[in-house]
């Protein structure tokens, strides 16, 4: 190996050595640089350097390598027993799991600021990540104290929960038993044509142009051919029709609402159809699938979501659906198919894939999880903005898309594809416990989201207002999460003011968008979205953390909007509870936040506002228990029983009387009741939701800056 120029000039050619080790892997010396520069011209140790042949030089280098390896083993990372310190030395971002080993060694309790919604014990646990709407609860000071005090002062909350559990135990729910179902039994569940007509149109006008997975000319042809001869109809079409009807059941405006335990009759009908279709689908072969198989699987997940059926499984089921589609190659360009495939089928593949991607991404965001990493494998083009009537099985080429401002049933999927990658990347970043965002990043993302909102076309036509509203809501929810997080890590007053303004604007526009649709008689997004809860908690978090005396201008703006936003959210969630007979926990969180905000502004009336909150959540409970239906919900019940529900009672039954005081005193203490998913005491009093402790930040944030969310 040739000597370097420095050694040659010094006359030390024989002493020139090359060291291949990099400085990053060696301990730093006292000068702040590595112990080796990659090249040295004098021996480091007192061992004599060889001046002879090449073999001697190689032997010397081998000895030096062994010496360096031994020194590194004595002073390197492997000797660091403290888990936190080892992570710091390795310069990897610290995660909540990083401190667990050290915690176990010292017998301490792990402080976990990221997974504040990891609750339960042993394996009976549930996790919700950073973008879950309820994650803000952990950052609203003293909200859990307010809710716990409400339970202690007002035992009605515990009593109605006990009464409802008693009612549930003696009620047989629709879909409570899974059983094989024949095609004939599936067809027997079809409602009368008049009812089916109404519900099909309600579905298409509400959700049909959001997740447009059907080809409407084909659907209407099969629909009109169904009624003269139901026995000869395709089982796949009947399942598709039942799931469309199920998705629209809770959108009806039937009065009065009747209930089976804590489930409304329309919801019970929906669950009956959903369970029947699911059981029937399990018996079908997957060897010869058609577009209907994918449509049914999509509608199963969607119908459960808008019927509040097993909502905690939405994220896992949406992920399974996406993988089912990927296994069939729907994520790849349909033009790559070698066998002849019609233009209609190619277009349906693109539409179904786009709808599944949107459903899975939103489910991931609502759960606080990363979406599936499909972008690295997908190359299918976005759905085309074309009219269904321009396409059929005989069409050889997909027609060119119409203008962006011309509304079609595929307009939502086409427009949503413009921001899919932005939202997918943001969701991944926001739920990544190792990644943080600086103010410049948040500002840039905010500008990109605003540009996407401004680019939403001004459509006109049936369903156009729902599509445009859903596009804007899906984007604004990211703004709220971005700035909720940024607000807690802002370093300057200007940054905090910017985030506060963005939160106020996004929360206000979110509630106003929902209110505009409700005033038009459309409840589709009220049932589908969770952003009413997010908007209410964001504004409550904002008002609870701002110092009105120090920031009088922004404080006045917050006070002006906060009351209306939370009151509107309470009204919407109350209506949601009435339609489902469920979701009371979401309602309780918002009414508690609303009462907490009012009590913060006027502490002298804390007990009054606490009682108002309790009454707002107990009133729907009493209504549900008073309006019980006497027709049992049995899976596979005769069609006339299912169809006649809601018509058999002309007036509401007598209210169920409250438990006598002596009986109430004999009840099992509320804290000792068994866990019922997220309805246990911790969920209602919001205990253990705020495991984040600001005093722990210094020890966790060196040598890098952590995001406290």
């Amino acid at each position: 190996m040739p000597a370097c120029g420095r050694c040659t000039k010094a006359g030390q050619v024989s002493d020139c050595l090359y060291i291949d080790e990099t400085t990053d892997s060696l301990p730093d010396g006292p000068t702040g640089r590595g112990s080796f520069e990659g090249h040295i011209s004098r021996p480091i140790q007192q061992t004599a350097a060889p001046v002879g042949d090449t073999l001697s030089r190689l032997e010397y280098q081998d000895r030096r390598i062994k010496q360096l390896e031994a020194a590194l083993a004595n002073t390197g990372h492997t000797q660091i027993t403290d888990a936190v310190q080892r992570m710091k030395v390795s310069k990897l971002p610290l995660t909540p799991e990083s401190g667990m080993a050290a915690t176990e060694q010292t017998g301490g309790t792990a402080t976990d600021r990221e997974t504040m919604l990891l609750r339960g014990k042993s394996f009976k646990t549930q996790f919700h990540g950073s973008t879950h709407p309820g994650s803000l609860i952990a950052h609203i000071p003293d909200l859990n104290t307010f809710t716990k005090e409400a339970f202690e002062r007002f035992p009605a909350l515990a009593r109605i929960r006990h009464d409802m559990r008693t009612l549930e135990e003696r009620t047989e729910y629709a879909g409570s038993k899974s059983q094989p179902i024949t095609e004939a039994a599936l067809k027997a569940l079809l409602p009368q044509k008049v009812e089916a007509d109404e519900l099909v149109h309600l579905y298409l006008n509400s959700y049909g142009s959001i997740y447009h997975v059907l080809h409407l000319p084909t659907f209407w042809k099969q629909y009109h051919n169904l009624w003269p001869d139901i026995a000869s109809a395709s089982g796949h079409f009947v399942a598709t029709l039942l799931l469309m009807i199920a998705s629209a059941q809770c959108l009806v405006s039937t009065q009065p609402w009747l209930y089976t335990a804590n489930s409304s009759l329309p919801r019970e009908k929906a669950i009956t159809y959903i369970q029947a279709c699911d059981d029937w689908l399990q018996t079908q072969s997957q060897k010869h699938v058609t577009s209907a198989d994918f449509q049914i699987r999509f509608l199963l997940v969607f119908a459960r979501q808008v019927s509040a059926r097993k909502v905690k499984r939405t994220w896992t089921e949406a992920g399974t659906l996406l993988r089912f589609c990927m296994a069939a190659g729907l994520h790849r360009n349909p033009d790559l198919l070698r066998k002849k495939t019609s233009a209609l089928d190619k277009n349906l593949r693109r539409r179904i894939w786009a709808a599944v991607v949107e459903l899975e991404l939103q489910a991931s965001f609502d759960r606080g999880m990363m979406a599936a990493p499909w972008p690295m494998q997908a190359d299918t083009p976005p759905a085309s903005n074309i009219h269904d009537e321009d396409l059929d099985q005989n069409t050889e080429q997909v027609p060119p898309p119409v203008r962006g401002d011309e509304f079609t049933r595929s307009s939502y999927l086409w427009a949503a594809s413009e921001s899919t990658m932005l939202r997918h990347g943001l969701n991944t970043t926001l739920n990544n416990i190792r990644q943080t965002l600086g103010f410049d990043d948040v500002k840039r993302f905010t500008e990109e989201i605003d540009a996407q909102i401004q680019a939403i076309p001004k459509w006109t036509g049936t369903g156009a207002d729902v599509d445009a509203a859903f596009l804007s809501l899906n984007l604004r929810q990211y703004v709220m999460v971005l700035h909720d997080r940024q607000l807690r890590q802002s370093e300057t007053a200007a940054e905090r003011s910017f985030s506060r303004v963005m939160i106020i604007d996004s929360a206000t526009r979110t509630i106003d968008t929902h209110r505009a649709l409700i005033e038009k008689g459309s409840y589709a997004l009220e049932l589908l979205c969770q952003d009413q809860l997010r908007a209410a908690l964001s504004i409550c978090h904002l008002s609870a953390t701002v110092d009105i005396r120090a920031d009088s201008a922004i404080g006045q703006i917050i006070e002006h909007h906060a009351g209306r936003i939370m009151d509107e959210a309470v009204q919407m969630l109350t209506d949601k509870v009435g339609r489902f007979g469920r979701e009371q926990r979401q309602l309780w969180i918002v009414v508690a936040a609303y009462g907490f905000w009012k009590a913060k502004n006027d502490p002298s009336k804390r007990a009054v506002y606490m009682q108002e909150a309790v009454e707002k959540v107990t009133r729907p409970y009493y209504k549900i228990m008073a309006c019980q239906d006497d027709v049992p919900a049995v899976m596979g019940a005769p069609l006339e029983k299912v169809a006649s529900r809601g018509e058999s009672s002309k007036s509401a039954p007598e209210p169920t009387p409250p438990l006598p005081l002596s009986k109430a005193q004999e009840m099992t203490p509320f804290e000792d009741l068994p866990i019922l998913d997220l309805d246990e005491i911790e969920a209602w009093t919001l205990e253990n939701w705020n495991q984040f402790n600001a005093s722990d930040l210094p020890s966790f944030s060196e040598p890098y800056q952590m995001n406290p969310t």
Side-chain angles (χ1 to χ4, degrees):
M1 187 176 292
C4 69
R6 187 171 61 181
C7 292
T8 301
K9 291 179 181 180
Q12 298 176 340
V13 175
S14 61
D15 293 340
C16 184
L17 296 177
Y18 285 85
I19 305 298
D20 293 330
E21 280 81 353
T22 60
T23 59
D24 290 342
S25 61
L26 299 175
D28 290 346
T31 62
R33 300 188 304 172
S35 301
F36 306 100
E37 295 292 331
H39 164 269
I40 57 175
S41 60
R42 299 295 299 169
I44 300 174
Q45 300 287 345
Q46 295 181 356
T47 306
V51 295
D53 56 15
T54 303
L55 179 60
S56 298
R57 293 171 57 115
L58 291 175
E59 290 175 348
Y60 170 76
Q61 290 180 354
D62 182 67
R63 290 196 302 273
R64 288 298 301 130
I65 290 172
K66 292 179 179 179
Q67 290 174 1
L68 294 173
E69 288 177 342
L72 183 62
N74 290 331
T75 61
H77 304 161
T78 56
Q79 298 300 313
I80 301 177
T81 58
D82 182 82
V84 176
Q85 186 63 28
R86 184 164 62 248
M87 292 298 294
K88 290 181 179 179
V89 171
S90 65
K91 298 181 180 180
L92 290 176
L94 189 66
T95 68
E97 292 79 6
S98 305
M100 293 305 294
T103 300
E104 292 173 358
Q105 293 171 7
T106 60
T109 300
T111 298
D112 184 353
R113 77 186 92 131
E114 279 292 343
T115 56
M116 73 286 290
L117 295 188
L118 174 59
R119 298 168 44 252
K121 64 179 181 179
S122 186
F123 287 91
K124 194 175 181 62
T125 55
Q126 293 182 34
F127 173 77
H128 300 268
S130 297
T131 58
H132 180 264
S135 64
L136 274 174
I137 295 172
H139 303 286
I140 301 177
D142 298 326
L143 177 57
N144 67 319
T145 303
F146 182 88
T147 56
K148 188 173 183 179
E149 184 181 344
F151 266 83
E152 292 173 351
R153 298 185 63 169
F154 299 95
L157 287 171
R159 187 171 65 248
I160 60 172
R161 184 173 179 272
H162 182 277
D163 293 347
M164 189 61 71
R165 287 188 65 237
T166 302
L167 187 61
E168 289 173 358
E169 289 171 357
R170 65 169 186 259
T171 303
E172 186 175 5
Y173 282 100
S176 58
K177 296 179 180 178
S178 180
Q179 59 187 24
I181 185 170
T182 63
E183 190 169 298
L186 192 69
K187 294 173 181 177
L189 289 174
L190 284 170
Q192 298 296 321
K193 185 177 183 301
V194 174
E195 182 183 354
D197 289 346
E198 178 185 356
L199 291 171
V200 166
H201 283 95
L202 185 57
Y203 168 83
L204 292 175
N205 294 337
S206 301
Y207 301 126
S209 56
I210 294 179
Y211 298 122
H212 186 43
V213 297
L214 303 174
H215 181 243
L216 288 184
T218 302
F219 169 80
W220 285 121
K221 181 180 179 181
Q222 292 178 303
Y223 184 79
H224 293 310
N225 292 337
L226 166 72
W227 300 107
D229 188 8
I230 295 179
S232 61
S234 164
H236 284 79
F237 178 74
V238 172
T240 301
L241 178 58
L242 286 173
L243 291 172
M244 293 169 65
I245 292 173
S247 301
Q249 281 288 345
C250 294
L251 296 175
V252 299
S253 299
T254 304
Q255 293 293 341
W257 287 82
L258 298 178
Y259 301 87
T260 299
N262 63 338
S263 180
S264 67
L265 291 191
R267 179 177 179 271
E268 286 294 281
K269 281 188 182 182
I271 293 174
T272 298
Y273 300 151
I274 291 168
Q275 188 65 52
C277 292
D278 193 13
D279 292 339
W280 174 82
L281 186 64
Q282 302 306 316
T283 65
Q284 303 304 302
S285 172
Q286 296 187 18
K287 292 183 178 179
H288 306 288
V289 296
T290 64
S291 60
D293 290 273
F294 294 91
Q295 292 162 347
I296 291 171
R297 280 175 166 79
F298 176 87
L299 289 171
L300 267 173
V301 178
F302 181 73
R304 287 193 184 101
Q305 183 178 358
V306 294
S307 302
R309 171 68 169 171
K310 300 186 183 300
V311 291
K312 290 183 283 294
R313 301 184 187 179
T314 300
W315 176 66
T316 53
E317 290 181 346
T320 301
L321 174 64
L322 184 133
R323 286 163 178 78
F324 178 81
C325 292
M326 291 187 73
L330 265 66
H331 63 299
R332 299 305 307 273
N333 192 328
D335 291 335
L336 297 175
L337 295 173
R338 296 183 179 181
K339 293 187 177 181
K340 186 176 180 180
T341 304
S342 68
L344 174 59
D345 285 346
K346 289 182 179 180
N347 185 262
L348 281 175
R349 287 175 67 95
R350 290 163 59 179
R351 270 199 241 161
I352 294 171
W353 172 250
V356 171
V357 162
E358 287 293 318
L359 186 71
E360 194 266 346
L361 177 56
Q362 187 58 44
S364 300
F365 185 80
D366 288 338
R367 181 79 184 194
M369 297 290 194
M370 292 186 184
W374 55 264
M376 292 179 285
Q377 286 187 287
D379 64 354
T380 185
S384 298
N385 189 34
I386 60 176
H387 293 283
D388 280 8
E389 292 74 15
D390 297 335
L391 201 60
D392 59 33
Q393 285 291 356
N394 297 322
T395 305
E396 296 182 358
Q397 296 291 334
V398 177
V402 300
R403 299 188 320 272
D405 59 354
E406 183 176 342
F407 183 71
T408 72
R409 292 286 183 177
S410 300
S411 289
Y412 175 85
L413 293 177
W414 165 77
S417 66
E418 296 294 321
S419 64
T420 298
M421 295 309 300
L422 171 63
R423 288 179 285 120
H424 190 284
L426 266 176
N427 180 67
T428 300
T429 299
L430 292 169
N431 287 302
N432 185 345
I433 62 175
R434 294 187 183 276
Q435 189 168 353
T436 60
L437 288 174
F439 177 74
D440 291 338
D441 295 323
V442 171
K443 189 171 181 292
R444 174 172 57 84
F445 282 130
T446 302
E447 292 171 351
E448 290 184 29
I449 293 171
D450 184 66
Q452 292 288 345
I453 294 174
Q454 297 302 322
I456 297 175
K458 308 298 182 184
W459 294 312
T460 58
T462 304
D465 51 351
V466 177
D467 290 23
F470 196 42
L471 277 172
S472 66
L473 291 173
N474 273 354
L475 289 163
R476 291 193 198 282
Q477 62 186 351
Y478 286 89
V479 176
M480 281 190 281
V481 175
L482 276 169
H483 288 280
D484 282 329
R485 167 181 287 196
Q486 178 60 30
L487 187 63
R488 296 189 293 275
Q489 63 184 26
S490 296
E491 298 178 351
T492 66
E495 292 178 1
R496 286 190 292 273
S497 296
F498 178 70
S499 291
R500 286 167 179 163
V501 170
M502 295 309 303
I503 291 172
I504 295 170
D505 179 72
S506 298
T508 302
R509 291 179 184 272
T510 294
I511 293 298
D512 289 345
T513 300
H514 279 288
R515 175 55 60 192
L517 289 177
I518 292 172
E519 289 176 351
K520 295 178 182 178
S522 176
Y523 298 91
L525 300 188
E526 178 185 273
L527 303 187
L528 179 60
C529 301
Q530 296 187 28
D531 45 17
Q532 309 99 324
L533 173 62
R534 193 186 305 277
L537 288 178
S538 292
I539 205 73
C540 181
H541 169 243
L542 193 60
S543 62
T545 55
V546 70
D547 187 348
I548 298 179
R549 290 172 295 181
D551 300 292
S552 58
I554 194 69
Q556 291 177 4
I557 297 174
I558 294 172
E559 295 303 304
H560 175 72
H561 291 280
R564 184 181 69 85
I565 289 174
M566 285 189 276
D567 184 61
E568 292 271 12
V570 168
Q571 294 179 36
M572 294 174 192
L573 290 175
T574 301
D575 182 68
K576 196 173 185 177
V577 168
R579 292 175 177 275
F580 288 151
R582 306 181 75 84
E583 300 297 313
Q584 291 92 341
R585 189 175 144 270
Q586 280 192 22
L587 175 61
W588 167 243
I589 291 173
V590 175
V591 298
Y594 190 20
F596 170 75
W597 171 77
K598 291 193 287 187
K600 180 176 178 291
N601 292 336
D602 188 358
S604 63
K605 295 184 178 180
R606 181 180 178 90
V608 175
Y609 297 136
M610 196 175 292
Q611 184 174 3
E612 286 182 1
V614 171
E615 289 177 352
K616 286 179 180 178
V617 77
T618 55
R619 192 176 298 119
Y621 263 116
Y622 288 134
K623 178 182 177 182
I624 289 170
M625 297 184 69
C627 298
Q628 290 293 305
D629 181 47
D630 57 355
V631 180
V634 181
M635 176 64 191
L639 179 60
E640 57 271 13
K641 277 193 175 182
V642 177
S644 64
R645 286 188 180 178
E647 301 174 2
S648 58
S649 271
K650 298 300 181 183
S651 59
E654 289 296 321
T656 302
L659 290 179
L661 180 61
S662 59
K663 181 67 175 177
Q665 292 174 345
E666 297 173 2
M667 289 166 47
T668 304
F670 192 71
E671 292 81 355
D672 297 334
L673 289 174
I675 290 179
L676 287 178
D677 299 323
L678 280 179
D679 289 330
E680 74 273 23
I681 182 67
E682 287 184 358
W684 283 83
T685 61
L686 310 185
E687 286 189 274
N688 294 335
W689 286 56
N690 54 345
Q691 297 174 0
F692 167 66
N693 186 349
S695 63
D696 295 323
L697 274 178
S699 61
F700 278 87
S701 61
E702 297 174 358
Y704 50 85
Q705 183 177 358
M706 273 295 295
N707 186 343
T709 58

